[in-house]
Amino acid sequence: MDILNVSFNQINKATEETAHSLVDEVIVCESELFVGQEVLNNETMPPVRLDAITFFLCESGEVSFSVDYKKISLTKGAMLSLSNSHILDSINISSNYKGFTLILSPQIMQSVISDMPNLNQMVMRQDRTKPLFQLEEDEMRLLTEIIVRIQRLLKATNHTFQSQLVNNEVQSFIFEFADIVLKKEAGNTKKEVTEQNRKEEVMLKFVQLILN
């Protein structure tokens, strides 16, 4: 079956009735995925590739996916992160599913990391085989709280600085998630680095995990 490439604009249109969004940049869905149930009909829906960086956080229930044709189960306390190169298929959602989906355009990801020196000169490749992360309770709470703040800001359409505030919270989410991933990879060992070096180290490794 042919792969359906879905643009960020198409995702935004598909979620406009159930999600909050900043057009062309950020979408937050609560207790939903990125499209309605009718689109997730496995008998008719082809494999899809989303032009977005997508984070699924599960608070309860279960969602099963096929990611790059490998089965993955998202359960309580887990996060699934997908780049715009992953292929998503065979989505099944339990009736008691509760969670958040944060969808970022590739452009906002690039803008968030644009102040990191030498990023454009480095060749990054994501480990596509490990998109699932099991979070501790405090880690889940931290990331969920940031998404809730993003959601609240997306509703504040009359705020003069809405876009800037949303970008700040998106950056916070990215850095917190990257820090969690790095600590897990390092076995919670601490490194003696300056604040700027730490920021660059976190960002570089995060981009390696998430982009391309």
Side-chain angles (χ1 to χ4, degrees):
M1 186 179 293
D2 292 338
I3 298 170
L4 178 64
N5 292 300
V6 182
S7 70
F8 191 87
N9 185 53
Q10 288 173 309
I11 302 171
N12 196 33
K13 288 182 178 179
T15 60
E16 61 185 358
E17 293 186 1
T18 59
H20 302 282
S21 68
L22 191 63
V23 178
D24 298 330
E25 290 190 340
V26 183
I27 302 170
V28 172
C29 306
E30 183 176 358
S31 295
E32 293 279 349
L33 295 185
F34 53 89
V35 288
Q37 288 288 348
E38 68 279 2
V39 181
L40 297 178
N41 186 328
N42 293 330
E43 296 180 358
T44 60
M45 184 66 183
V48 297
R49 183 184 290 116
L50 307 176
D51 187 25
I53 313 301
T54 310
F55 302 90
F56 304 95
L57 289 84
C58 181
E59 295 180 300
S60 64
E62 182 178 0
V63 183
S64 64
F65 301 83
S66 172
V67 177
D68 291 343
Y69 306 106
K70 295 181 180 179
K71 292 291 184 181
I72 288 181
S73 181
L74 183 70
T75 56
K76 181 178 178 180
M79 171 193 278
L80 178 67
S81 67
L82 301 179
S83 75
N84 55 357
S85 62
H86 282 100
I87 299 169
L88 191 61
D89 192 16
S90 301
I91 305 173
N92 289 287
I93 312 170
S94 68
S95 59
N96 63 334
Y97 169 76
K98 182 180 178 182
F100 286 93
T101 304
L102 174 64
I103 308 171
L104 307 176
S105 71
Q107 291 73 29
I108 196 173
M109 282 294 300
Q110 290 296 337
S111 70
V112 165
I113 64 175
S114 61
D115 63 336
M116 297 293 103
N118 302 321
L119 275 181
N120 292 331
Q121 287 73 39
M122 299 191 67
V123 178
M124 304 290 179
R125 294 192 63 86
Q126 177 191 8
D127 185 352
R128 292 165 57 96
T129 65
K130 298 179 180 179
L132 188 66
F133 300 87
Q134 189 63 43
L135 303 176
E136 301 295 334
E137 185 176 344
D138 60 330
E139 296 168 341
M140 184 72 174
R141 182 170 56 252
L142 172 63
L143 296 179
T144 300
E145 286 174 352
I146 297 174
I147 293 179
V148 170
R149 291 201 300 269
I150 294 173
Q151 185 181 47
R152 187 183 307 120
L153 289 169
L154 292 176
K155 296 178 184 178
T157 55
N158 63 341
H159 198 296
T160 305
F161 304 105
Q162 182 197 34
S163 180
Q164 291 87 343
L165 291 171
V166 169
N167 285 0
N168 287 343
E169 291 294 351
V170 167
Q171 186 177 60
S172 294
F173 180 90
I174 291 170
F175 276 100
E176 292 294 355
F177 177 49
D179 187 61
I180 289 169
V181 172
L182 287 178
K183 287 176 179 176
K184 290 182 182 297
E185 286 187 343
N188 295 319
T189 58
K190 296 182 179 179
K191 297 181 180 180
E192 295 297 328
V193 292
T194 65
E195 181 64 25
Q196 180 62 25
N197 286 343
R198 177 60 176 168
K199 183 179 180 182
E200 292 181 15
E201 177 192 14
V202 168
M203 203 69 249
L204 289 173
K205 291 190 176 183
F206 180 76
V207 172
Q208 185 178 22
L209 285 167
I210 299 303
L211 297 181
N212 299 326

